[in-house]
Amino acid sequence: MAEREGGRERAVSGATAATRPRARLDQPRAPRRRILPEWDPEAFGRLSERIARFLGTGRFIVWMTVVIIVWVLWNVFAPEDLKFDKYPFIFLTLMLSLQASYAAPLILLAQNRQDDRDRVNLEQDRKQNERSIADTEYLTREIAALRIGLGEVATRDWIRSELQDLLKELDGHRAGGHVVFPAERSAGRDADDR
């Protein structure tokens, strides 16, 4: 039995005829063969940082100076048949140019990696600062709410001043001979009103 679909004929049957093996979705694919060699970019980046770090030290300058001095002295004072780079030192110039041509990209790669790390650290610092500011604002609002809530509460200083005023009032009444408490005052007023 055949069915027409978009100008092509498709076989319809209860059993499917597989022309190519179906990929299983529950298993990883086999690795593809590549023509070019593969390398780990992180390992290469770490190596470039180590080289760039060494190129920026005094040790490198000392070693480079020693190599150049030995090179020049060898090619000036060695016997003619042992000299490999005669006076204009063209091979030395070539080697120094080759070293510089590799050093510059390695240094740039190391700087780019450092910039990436700095960018990530800056982003983390910015997020931490935002959280700190939000926490500070929250605590400020809480303290303000507590102050408003405590505005109606009697403080130790207020109670002390009220007690001192009451003691002064009692001392003033004692000097008059009779101590009148506030409850007695209101009771006496009620009796006078009758």
Side-chain angles (χ1 to χ4, degrees):
M1 183 170 164
E3 190 177 86
R4 211 131 182 61
E5 182 180 289
R8 284 188 273 166
E9 203 170 11
R10 185 175 67 130
V12 178
S13 68
T16 58
T19 57
R20 64 184 172 118
R22 290 179 61 181
R24 293 197 49 171
L25 298 177
D26 63 336
Q27 294 178 352
R29 287 184 175 179
R32 293 182 183 178
R33 295 182 68 199
R34 296 201 174 154
I35 298 170
L36 298 175
E38 290 186 41
W39 65 87
D40 180 19
E42 284 299 312
F44 186 73
R46 285 190 300 271
L47 176 66
S48 68
E49 285 178 343
R50 288 178 57 200
I51 292 170
R53 203 172 297 124
F54 175 68
L55 291 177
T57 62
R59 181 184 299 171
F60 171 74
I61 294 172
V62 168
W63 278 109
M64 195 68 173
T65 304
V66 168
V67 166
I68 291 171
I69 290 172
V70 168
W71 187 298
V72 169
L73 291 176
W74 180 267
N75 287 300
V76 168
F77 297 114
E80 284 299 319
D81 57 337
L82 294 177
K83 292 181 183 179
F84 58 90
D85 190 18
K86 297 204 184 329
Y87 168 64
F89 306 118
I90 295 172
F91 189 54
L92 176 63
T93 306
L94 177 68
M95 296 310 295
L96 291 174
S97 297
L98 182 66
Q99 181 266 329
S101 68
Y102 275 98
L106 288 174
I107 290 170
L108 288 175
L109 179 63
Q111 286 177 343
N112 288 341
R113 286 174 53 87
Q114 185 62 44
D115 287 344
D116 292 342
R117 278 195 300 272
D118 291 344
R119 192 175 304 113
V120 168
N121 288 339
L122 184 64
E123 182 66 23
Q124 288 174 348
D125 289 346
R126 187 184 62 76
K127 287 180 181 178
Q128 179 63 37
N129 287 342
E130 287 175 357
R131 284 192 297 268
S132 296
I133 289 170
D135 290 346
T136 303
E137 289 174 353
Y138 171 76
L139 290 174
T140 303
R141 286 191 302 271
E142 288 296 313
I143 290 172
L146 286 173
R147 283 186 178 167
I148 290 170
L150 287 176
E152 303 298 322
V153 176
T155 63
R156 181 181 63 188
D157 294 336
W158 181 80
I159 292 173
R160 184 177 289 145
S161 68
E162 289 296 315
L163 287 174
Q164 286 174 350
D165 291 344
L166 187 60
L167 284 174
K168 286 179 187 175
E169 188 177 320
L170 286 174
D171 286 342
H173 287 298
R174 277 193 199 149
H178 178 49
V179 177
V180 179
F181 292 103
E184 291 176 0
R185 247 188 266 146
S186 64
R189 283 188 201 139
D190 291 339
D192 290 340
D193 289 339
R194 290 186 204 162

